[in-house]
């Protein structure tokens, strides 16, 4: 069976990508919320937020990128839910294809869609005055962390996509993910928060990921944050992947 | 090929939580024949098809398709079948052509484009080939659906209520296609609640009721289930519809012959 895994995944990813390209509105709607947050925080609240030196948009962008990913994966869950409940999935499952390629196709095409959203958000940030002197290597590292974070959240999104009872249910799971950056170092330094909130903020994954990306973009030494960030992403990826596969196998047997 | 058994089902049982849908289903389908599984809504026809297509696991019993066990050799079964499900299994966002090419690629055929072109031609979809399937009519969608099922020439094809929701003309088109299939030696298992359809297409008909096959035979054999006396008193041969309704009983509980004959006498007195 696995001899066809790569070929089948490529064919099905091509299908999902066509879906995405033919409904570009999903890319736009994915970017609206993060862009609104960015406008709101830079031009309304930002003046009152003291983040030390540097422009606030530079401080804010890493968190906004994570929100973009979180809002993007809600579409992964939505698209997977629709597919699972359509006749074409029965056809795929009654065909001699590598079965896990059906999920991989969704994950890979979502990765492409989210990368496009991220590019749009970064372009808007540039218009708003975001600047970085980071070199090629630092940007590659940022791209790597974001890709890993996206993969982890996409596999997480596969779980509600497979198990939700309604399309709304499949989408709603991403709301907490979108709001997690608010209780982190994404918008304000954690040192301003009261004790318990600060403790939560400092030990949740978003803070270490935001800090690592911010340090890379502002050419600061990254310290231990990047390893904590990578550990969170890889850990979440593995756990989500295993859980998604177990649910998938149960669902299709 | 003829004379061989393409599909063999023995003692199939399946429950959804409390609800016992299949309570021991047995039947055989000869290679190259059209077999109709007839039953009311909720009789379990789709459940049988899904088990045979390896989409569902049976609770008990065995089933084999093309000589392969559906539970133990699922991959081999999938190589030899094709499913046209109850809901048109086509991708609405892709064009008709893209749908066909995709399935040809997933069946690992050498020349997906040529396969697609040939089927578009055969199903008179060439003109609509580049259009999104969401713009197709119900009949075109079904034609595309069946065309997708033929890719790779699987020896066994399952058609789950292939004409539900189609207008009479589209329905005739589907019937013609199904007949063509058996001319090429394909085995077809068809489920339907349309008695006319079973009567027109199938060589053998089985009636699934209350989780069991209560009758299985050729149309002529099914008609013989009613006493020939009927011909003398009523100037109308029993249609398959009569046979079905009489055997099944309209209360849904008359699965024994006693009720069948009782219903028949009351029919005669009218």
């Amino acid at each position: 069976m696995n001899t066809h895994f790569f070929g089948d995944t490529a064919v099905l990813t091509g299908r999902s990508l066509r879906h995405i390209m033919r409904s570009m509105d999903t890319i736009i709607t994915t970017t609206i919320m993060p862009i609104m947050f960015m406008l709101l925080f830079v031009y309304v609240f930002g003046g009152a937020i003291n983040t030390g030196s540097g422009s606030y948009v530079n401080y804010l962008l890493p968190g906004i990128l994570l929100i973009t990913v979180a809002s993007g994966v809600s579409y992964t869950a939505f698209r997977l839910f629709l597919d699972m409940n359509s006749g074409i999935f029965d056809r795929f499952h009654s065909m001699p294809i590598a079965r896990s390629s059906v999920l991989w196709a969704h994950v890979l095409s979502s990765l492409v869609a989210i990368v496009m959203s991220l590019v749009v958000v970064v372009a808007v940030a540039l218009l708003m005055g975001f600047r970085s002197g980071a070199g090629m290597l630092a940007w590659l590292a940022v791209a790597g962390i974001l890709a890993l974070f996206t993969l982890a959240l996409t596999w997480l999104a596969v779980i509600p996509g497979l198990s939700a009872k309604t399309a709304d249910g499949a989408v709603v799971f991403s709301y907490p993910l979108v709001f997690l950056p608010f209780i982190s170092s994404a918008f304000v330094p954690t040192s301003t928060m009261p004790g318990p909130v600060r403790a939560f903020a400092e030990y949740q994954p978003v803070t270490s990921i935001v800090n690592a990306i911010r340090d890379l973009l502002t050419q600061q030494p990254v310290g231990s944050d990047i390893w904590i960030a990578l550990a969170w992403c890889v850990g979440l990826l593995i756990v989500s992947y295993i859980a998604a596969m177990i649910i998938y196998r149960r669902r299709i047997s | 090929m003829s004379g061989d058994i393409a599909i063999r089902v023995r003692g199939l049982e399946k429950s959804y939580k409390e609800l016992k849908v299949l309570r021991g289903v047995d039947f055989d389908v000869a290679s190259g024949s059209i077999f109709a599984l007839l039953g009311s809504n909720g009789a379990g026809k789709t459940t049988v098809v899904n088990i045979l297509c390896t989409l569902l696991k049976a609770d008990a019993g065995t089933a084999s398709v093309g000589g392969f066990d559906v539970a133990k050799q699922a991959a081999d079964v999938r190589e030899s079948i094709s499913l046209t499900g109850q809901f048109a299994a086509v991708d609405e966002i892709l064009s008709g052509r893209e749908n066909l090419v995709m399935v040809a690629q997933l069946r690992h055929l050498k020349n997906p484009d040529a396969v697609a072109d040939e089927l578009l031609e055969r199903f008179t979809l060439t003109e609509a080939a580049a259009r999104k399937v969401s713009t197709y009519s119900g009949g075109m969608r079904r034609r595309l659906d069946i065309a997708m099922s033929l890719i790779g020439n699987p020896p066994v094809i399952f058609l789950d209520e292939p004409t539900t929701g189609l207008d009479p003309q589209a329905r005739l088109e589907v019937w013609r296609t199904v007949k063509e299939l058996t001319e090429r030696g394909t085995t077809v298992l068809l489920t339907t609640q349309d008695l006319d359809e079973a009567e027109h297409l199938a060589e053998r008909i089985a009636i699934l009721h209350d989780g069991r096959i209560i009758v299985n035979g050729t149309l002529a054999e099914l008609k013989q289930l009613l006493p020939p006396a009927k011909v003398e008193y009523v100037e109308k041969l029993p249609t398959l519809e009569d046979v079905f309704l009489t055997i099944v009983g309209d209360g849904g509980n008359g699965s024994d012959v006693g009720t069948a004959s009782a219903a028949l006498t009351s029919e005669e007195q009218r």
Side-chain angles (χ1 to χ4, degrees), chain A residues 7-106:
Chain A
D8 293 344
T9 303
V11 172
L12 291 171
T13 304
R15 164 182 179 261
S16 295
L17 281 176
R18 281 200 174 107
H19 282 209
I20 290 167
M21 295 308 167
R22 281 168 200 182
S23 53
M24 286 306 273
D25 51 321
T26 59
I27 306 255
I28 306 297
T29 46
T30 301
T31 60
I32 283 177
M33 184 164 53
I35 289 172
M36 292 301 276
F37 281 144
M38 191 154 63
L39 291 170
L40 194 65
F41 274 85
V42 170
Y43 295 124
V44 181
F45 303 133
I49 298 173
N50 184 5
T51 58
S53 60
S55 81
Y56 186 59
V57 66
N58 283 0
Y59 182 88
L60 188 65
L61 186 65
I64 293 293
L65 294 178
L66 298 196
I67 290 179
T68 310
V69 175
S71 108
V73 296
S74 67
Y75 275 107
T76 312
F78 180 68
R79 282 192 293 261
L80 183 59
F81 175 83
L82 290 188
D83 247 7
M84 284 305 286
N85 291 284
S86 70
I88 195 130
F89 247 48
D90 283 346
R91 182 188 292 284
F92 290 154
H93 287 146
S94 65
M95 284 172 62
I97 61 172
R99 289 191 158 193
S100 59
S101 60
V102 170
L103 290 189
W104 272 107
H106 270 276

Side-chain angles (χ1 to χ4, degrees), chain B:
Chain B
M1 279 291 275
S2 65
D4 296 349
I5 300 298
I7 303 172
R8 183 185 292 272
V9 177
R10 288 290 176 273
L12 217 55
E13 289 178 30
K14 178 75 189 176
S15 306
Y16 296 105
K17 294 196 178 116
E18 300 294 289
L19 184 68
K20 273 202 142 208
V21 180
L22 305 180
R23 306 157 178 265
V25 171
D26 306 274
F27 64 87
D28 288 333
V29 180
S31 269
S33 70
I34 305 185
F35 183 89
L37 199 55
L38 205 58
S40 349
N41 277 334
K45 303 184 298 282
T46 300
T47 305
V48 172
V49 168
N50 284 348
I51 290 170
L52 294 176
C53 290
T54 74
L55 297 176
L56 261 184
K57 279 200 169 62
D59 297 337
T62 58
S64 68
V65 176
F68 300 110
D69 187 290
V70 293
K72 296 185 193 101
Q73 298 162 293
D76 295 308
V77 171
R78 283 179 213 130
E79 289 283 355
S80 29
I81 63 160
S82 204
L83 167 67
T84 299
Q86 212 175 103
F87 307 102
V90 295
D91 191 312
E92 303 255 320
I93 295 163
L94 301 185
S95 70
R97 191 163 201 290
E98 285 169 336
N99 266 290
L100 292 166
V101 170
M102 174 177 71
V103 171
Q105 286 171 334
L106 290 175
R107 289 229 175 242
H108 316 114
L109 299 184
K110 289 223 172 57
N111 204 340
D113 293 298
V115 171
D117 286 334
E118 190 221 306
L119 284 166
L120 287 166
E121 181 79 38
R122 186 168 146 202
F123 286 85
T124 53
L125 288 167
T126 309
E127 263 177 56
R131 257 164 52 201
K132 263 192 190 182
V133 172
S134 53
T135 65
Y136 283 22
S137 70
M140 290 164 76
R141 216 172 277 210
R142 258 304 168 198
R143 287 209 306 270
L144 177 64
D145 199 2
I146 294 175
M148 283 162 77
S149 292
L150 304 191
I151 293 172
N153 295 317
V156 179
I157 290 187
F158 295 93
L159 300 172
D160 195 4
E161 304 203 359
T163 55
T164 305
L166 293 189
D167 57 47
Q169 199 193 355
R171 200 168 72 138
L172 288 175
E173 272 175 31
V174 170
W175 286 3
R176 210 180 53 227
T177 311
V178 174
K179 283 189 172 154
E180 275 173 24
L181 282 180
T182 45
E183 281 159 23
R184 295 168 184 235
T186 309
T187 309
V188 177
L189 188 150
L190 166 98
T191 77
T192 185
Q193 32 180 330
D194 179 351
L195 308 160
D196 217 23
E197 181 160 293
E199 191 164 348
H200 273 92
L201 288 178
E203 288 149 60
R204 283 191 85 82
I205 297 158
I207 297 177
L208 183 64
H209 186 67
D210 275 345
R212 287 193 183 86
I213 301 285
I214 51 174
V215 184
N216 181 348
T218 61
L219 182 60
E221 284 168 359
L222 292 200
K223 285 184 174 176
Q224 275 171 12
L225 284 177
L226 300 186
K230 183 161 188 182
V231 182
E232 290 178 35
Y233 300 107
V234 184
E235 284 187 0
K236 179 178 149 255
L237 282 169
T239 62
L240 184 58
E241 188 160 5
D242 298 330
V243 177
F244 175 76
L245 290 176
T246 310
I247 292 167
V248 162
D250 41 12
N253 52 0
S255 53
D256 61 315
V257 187
T259 6
S261 48
L264 184 68
T265 15
S266 68
E267 172 110 17
E268 279 166 5
Q269 283 162 355
R270 274 202 274 133

